[in-house]
Amino acid sequence: QDVPIKRPIIIIGCPRTASTFMHKLLAQDPALRKPHFWELAIPSPPPDPATYDRDPRRDLVSTGFRSFDAISPHFYEDVHRHHYFGVDEIEEDSVLVHYAGVLAMHGIAFKGDSEYAQWQKCPDNKEAAYRVHKKVLQILSSRYPQPVQWLLKAPTIHSCFLKELLKVYPDAILIVTHRQPVEVLPSW
């Protein structure tokens, strides 16, 4: 299915540069489609705008959160200090490249020369990962009036692979957040 993704707005930049603030601010525009955590976690079947707020996948993802919290009680508390997320919150679209098997777009987590580490570091699979990314957005868009304009954010991933990103989304609107490095480092 070739559902158009019209001029996605993609927030890029270094971590801790107010990209989440920018994402939430721009998300106030009702004309933009924003990915929510639950639909990124379970993107198929495509959500129906008429029943979006009652989609049963929301409850499934919420149950998953509660189960994980029972296993690791302080996980969410620790993570939320740096990145708040929730079932109905808008979320970074980084998970969409994970569906292509690319776990660390920047390759930092894959040291060494193993075949798997080399595959993770290879820029060729990043374009393929962005094609999967786009396909998932097309699925999520398919029941909405066309064309859909998405607001996306995954700065530490997209910033590293702009060439591959722009091959798949040549009409993307990029917003680059910036903050002085001397302010960023202590904010962790």
Side-chain angles (χ1 to χ4, degrees):
Q1 194 174 20
D2 194 22
V3 176
I5 303 297
K6 174 191 143 192
R7 301 188 71 209
I9 299 170
I10 304 173
I11 301 169
I12 63 172
C14 292
R16 313 295 299 161
T17 58
S19 60
T20 299
F21 175 80
M22 178 65 73
H23 195 213
K24 291 186 184 287
L25 178 67
L26 294 174
Q28 301 309 303
D29 183 344
L32 298 175
R33 179 87 163 79
K34 294 77 67 172
H36 288 82
F37 193 98
W38 70 265
E39 64 183 330
L40 292 174
I42 310 173
S44 185
D48 183 344
T51 59
Y52 188 88
D53 293 335
R54 302 182 311 276
D55 194 297
R57 289 173 285 185
R58 293 170 62 252
D59 292 334
L60 286 173
V61 173
S62 184
T63 298
F65 278 175
R66 286 191 304 277
S67 298
F68 196 83
D69 198 41
I71 295 167
S72 182
H74 300 290
F75 175 77
Y76 292 118
E77 181 182 314
D78 293 342
V79 171
H80 284 173
R81 279 190 228 140
H82 298 290
H83 181 81
Y84 181 79
F85 60 92
V87 172
D88 292 313
E89 297 291 325
I90 60 171
E91 185 53 68
E92 291 191 14
D93 55 291
S94 56
V95 69
L96 300 184
V97 296
H98 297 226
Y99 290 143
V102 177
L103 303 178
M105 292 288 282
H106 42 69
I108 291 171
F110 296 93
K111 302 244 185 255
D113 293 326
S114 72
E115 188 175 333
Y116 184 68
Q118 292 302 314
W119 184 84
Q120 284 290 339
K121 294 175 190 177
C122 178
D124 295 343
N125 65 36
K126 305 314 186 277
E127 184 178 343
Y130 279 117
R131 294 207 181 284
V132 170
H133 182 281
K134 183 175 183 178
K135 183 54 71 179
V136 176
L137 290 183
Q138 289 173 318
I139 290 167
L140 292 172
S141 302
S142 64
R143 291 188 175 173
Y144 283 77
Q146 302 301 318
V148 172
Q149 186 175 26
W150 282 90
L151 172 63
L152 305 169
K153 169 200 179 261
T156 57
I157 290 176
H158 301 324
S159 298
C160 294
F161 293 97
L162 285 175
K163 179 179 160 188
E164 292 77 12
L165 173 75
L166 292 173
K167 280 184 183 176
V168 176
Y169 299 107
D171 63 344
I173 300 167
L174 302 178
I175 297 175
V176 182
T177 56
H178 174 73
R179 187 172 165 200
Q180 291 297 330
V182 295
E183 296 173 6
V184 170
L185 293 175
S187 75
W188 279 102

